[in-house]
């Protein structure tokens, strides 16, 4: 009998593996927050209260939170290859992305708002995603090469398919919380791997822990 995507996910990672991934992602997010505090004009706190492994088909449902697949998102993508191949994305509901940019750059850039928005989101995404991927690479001993990060907008459905349509792709979703001057914003860090790679990564991390 062929396994469903959900059953396949469960077979390659258990609670212990998920705990290790959560710990490493939190370490990466903590490093990213320290960098953000140095490069932006505001105190930034980041936390990852939850993390889960889902199939590509389930990703759109997780990202909508019941709002529908046509909800608009803003996201920053960072591709990687080397010992592992895949992509990492930092995704926000579009309204939260606008609030994040406003909190970081203020209201003094109305004439160049689009340029400021793209530049700010790309910088934030690059810092957060490099912090997380750097932690995963260091802990697993993987050597990775990164692409130049890009900023995009579109529906949840489009965002969930931007890295191809392989049914073997699984998505590690870390729900991130940004706090800037007591302003809470919800985003998600999504790491795209195929089934074989995520299983190998978890085994390596468990052996090193």
């Amino acid at each position: 009998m062929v396994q469903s995507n959900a059953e396949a996910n469960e077979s390659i990672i258990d609670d212990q593996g998920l705990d290790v991934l959560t710990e490493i992602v939190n370490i990466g997010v903590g490093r990213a927050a320290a960098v953000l505090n140095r490069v932006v004009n505001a105190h930034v706190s980041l936390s990852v209260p939850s993390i889960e492994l889902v199939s590509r088909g389930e990703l759109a449902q997780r990202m909508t939170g019941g709002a529908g697949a046509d909800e608009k998102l803003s996201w920053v993508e960072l591709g990687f290859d080397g010992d592992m191949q895949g992509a990492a994305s930092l995704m926000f509901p579009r309204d939260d992305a606008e609030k994040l940019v406003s909190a970081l750059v203020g209201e003094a850039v109305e004439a160049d708002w689009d340029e400021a928005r793209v530049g700010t989101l790309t910088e934030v995404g690059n810092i957060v995603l490099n912090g997380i991927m750097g932690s995963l690479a260091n802990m697993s001993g993987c050597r990775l090469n990164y692409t130049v990060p890009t900023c995009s907008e579109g529906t949840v459905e489009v965002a969930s398919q931007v890295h191809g349509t392989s049914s073997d792709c699984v998505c590690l979703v870390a729900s991130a919380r940004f706090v800037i001057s007591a302003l809470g914003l919800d985003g998600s860090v999504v790491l795209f791997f195929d089934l074989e790679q995520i299983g190998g990564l978890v085994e390596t991390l468990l052996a090193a822990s």
Side-chain angles (χ1 to χ4, degrees), residues 87-122:
S89 291
L90 177 62
M91 300 182 177
F92 290 98
R94 188 172 179 178
D95 288 347
D96 277 0
E98 298 283 328
K99 292 176 184 176
L100 175 61
V101 174
S102 294
L104 292 176
V105 303
E107 304 293 339
V109 290
E110 293 181 6
D112 299 315
W113 176 250
D114 286 341
E115 181 179 347
R117 177 177 53 78
V118 170
T120 301
L121 289 177
T122 301

Side-chain angles (χ1 to χ4, degrees), residues 13-164:
I13 185 170
D14 56 14
D15 288 343
Q16 185 180 11
L18 197 60
D19 286 344
V20 169
L21 285 172
T22 301
E23 180 181 356
I24 293 173
V25 170
N26 270 293
I27 291 172
V29 165
R31 291 174 178 170
V35 175
L36 283 173
N37 284 333
R38 292 197 298 269
V39 301
V40 302
N41 238 349
H43 178 72
V44 180
S45 297
L46 286 168
S47 63
V48 180
S50 65
I51 189 170
E52 60 183 330
L53 196 67
V54 303
S55 69
R56 183 181 291 278
E58 296 168 316
L59 178 60
Q61 181 180 356
R62 292 293 191 278
M63 294 302 302
T64 61
D70 59 347
E71 181 184 1
K72 293 295 181 65
L73 293 181
S74 297
W75 67 89
V76 178
E77 305 165 28
L78 180 71
F80 56 88
D81 60 20
D83 292 337
M84 294 188 296
Q85 293 184 344
S89 291
L90 177 62
M91 300 182 177
F92 290 98
R94 188 172 179 178
D95 288 347
D96 277 0
E98 298 283 328
K99 292 176 184 176
L100 175 61
V101 174
S102 294
L104 292 176
V105 303
E107 304 293 339
V109 290
E110 293 181 6
D112 299 315
W113 176 250
D114 286 341
E115 181 179 347
R117 177 177 53 78
V118 170
T120 301
L121 289 177
T122 301
E123 181 178 16
V124 170
N126 189 44
I127 291 170
V128 173
L129 297 175
N130 268 287
I132 292 172
M133 292 307 303
S135 293
L136 282 172
N138 290 338
M139 293 296 293
S140 64
C142 292
R143 288 182 291 184
L144 299 178
N145 306 308
Y146 301 104
T147 63
V148 176
T150 59
C151 184
S152 304
E153 288 190 344
T155 64
V156 170
E157 190 65 32
V158 170
S160 68
Q161 298 296 331
V162 292
H163 301 293

Side-chain angles (χ1 to χ4, degrees), residues 176-194:
R177 183 84 173 167
F178 280 71
V179 179
I180 302 171
S181 300
L183 177 64
L185 300 172
D186 291 319
S188 291
V189 176
V190 183
L191 308 181
F192 296 83
F193 298 95
D194 64 32

